[in-house]
Amino acid sequence: MTREKPKNLWLSRWGFILAATGSAVGLGNIWKFPYITGEYGGGAFVLMYLACILAIGIPVMMTEIALGRRGRGSPLDAVARVAREGGAHPLWRGVGLMAMVAGFMILCFYVVAASWAFAYTWKMLDGSLAATSVEALGGVFEAHNANPWQLGGWSLLVALLTLFIVAKGVQKGIERSVSWMMPGLAVMLLILVGYAYSSGSFSAGVDFLFTFDASKITGEALLAALGHAFFTLSLASGAILIYGSYLPDGQSVARTTFVVAIADTLVALLAGLAIFPIIFANGLSPSAGPGLIFMSLPLAFQQMPFGTFFGVLFFAMVSIAALTSAISLVEATVAYLNEKHGISRAKAATGAGVVLLLISLLAMLSFNVMAGWTPGGKNLFDWLDYLTSRWMMPLGGIGMVILAGYCLRSEVMRDELNLPPLGYALWLFMVRYVSPVLIGIVFLHALGWLGFDPIAKWYWIAGAIGVLAVAGELLAPRVRQELARG
Ligand code: PHE
């Protein structure tokens, strides 16, 4: 069957890597990773997060890029095409649809969180962060959120910037903007880490991030690590899939995946190395929660030489990181409207923008006017975060690996991944057994259906994967065939 011709392709070899790294590196790395690491106690959490990236994140990302490039289209259409080509049931397109919906839902609260970074860049300059205690700075943060006009105005700015870039197109908008924003981000981060290194408490930061304390390993922490691995790599939300659909045929899926995953992980660790020494040097607590960078860091910036400069640099860096992620969250929807309904990119971006503003307005209002409306104990902002990170992304991830590992005719993925036999066998083993079993166990645990803490009984998990793998390969000896071929 003839393959779909790509309508857009990255211009340069670095196009995909910069854009996908731009998508992956965002609030997740600089805002969420440090505070959840702080909450779950440091090194043990970092280790679980790294394990989830390796065992689940990388195989899922490879699968997602390959599905996007094979299907050449919006997540819904790409998955539908690949399913058709590979002889899988047409309902598999639901996985693509869910990813698109999840991406849009993330976008609706992401612009609000991104707007904090933009607002704080400005607040560093206009003197509104002069308060001298963490409590008082907490008050500043709350007052900012309590004012719907402030929060709304900054969120509108983020949404307009995002839509403007996306409307300009894949090459002239997205590729061009990430090609200067990403190097800029790297320079800013290195300056900040350099400062932290010279600040005297660097080793306290290193100890906190890398000292392993087995008692801190719990099922709850594992759950958080898994959700975060999906979120930070932008998986199962349409972003990586749509960017993958613009990847030229000759580029290696595996190699690009490794570059993006390593860059994302490095940025998270470097952000931790920039932030924790500053926190410790100023006697602040690492477990301050979501407000960590907004309530603790401004206090530290006040006390350091050239603090305003470093403060502006820091929040500008977070703003850019958030913007390149927000862009990737709209692209799938814009590409879908453009491809399926023939709407121009500019009009599609406008339409998506209207819906985005309506929903994110509600997310914004949940901090002030509608603060009392918390069905099920969560406001709308928290619901959007919870539903996507804890449920939709892992579900979408399991869907993709099962589709690719079991349901497609094997030539499709083998062709698209184009790996040496051992590499292919390893990928197949991961997507068939390791990733789905691990995601499944974390799910069952979250639902309270597992009567034990999966981490404490890890040998059961390893055993289950082993038995499944042996049984599975005896029934369907594809991996052995692959090995024999090599
Ligand atoms: N990966 C981004 C971050 O870490 C968030 C994101 C999730 C972006 C899903 C796109 C898709 O902030």
Side-chain angles (χ1 to χ4, degrees), residues 23-24 26-29 106 110 231-232 234 237 239 325 328-329 393:
S23 170
L27 295 167
N29 305 60
I106 294 173
Y110 205 83
F231 186 81
T232 192
S234 304
S237 49
S325 300
S328 74
L329 284 163
M393 294 171 124

Side-chain angles (χ1 to χ4, degrees), residues 235-254:
L235 299 176
S237 49
I240 290 298
L241 204 147
I242 191 73
Y243 280 3
S245 80
Y246 306 144
L247 185 68
D249 275 327
Q251 287 190 35
S252 150
V253 171

Side-chain angles (χ1 to χ4, degrees), residues 413-478:
M413 278 289 153
R414 191 185 308 127
D415 219 51
E416 201 55 40
L417 291 170
N418 196 13
L419 289 165
L422 192 61
Y424 177 74
L426 186 63
W427 170 81
L428 194 57
F429 179 74
M430 297 305 278
V431 298
R432 287 187 142 198
Y433 308 111
V434 181
S435 310
V437 169
L438 288 180
I439 302 174
I441 286 176
V442 173
F443 261 140
L444 293 180
H445 181 66
L447 286 167
W449 291 357
L450 280 188
F452 60 86
D453 188 332
I455 275 287
K457 298 256 171 26
W458 60 271
Y459 40 85
W460 281 101
I461 301 176
I465 293 178
V467 170
L468 249 172
V470 171
E473 293 317 312
L474 287 178
L475 294 173
R478 263 160 50 183

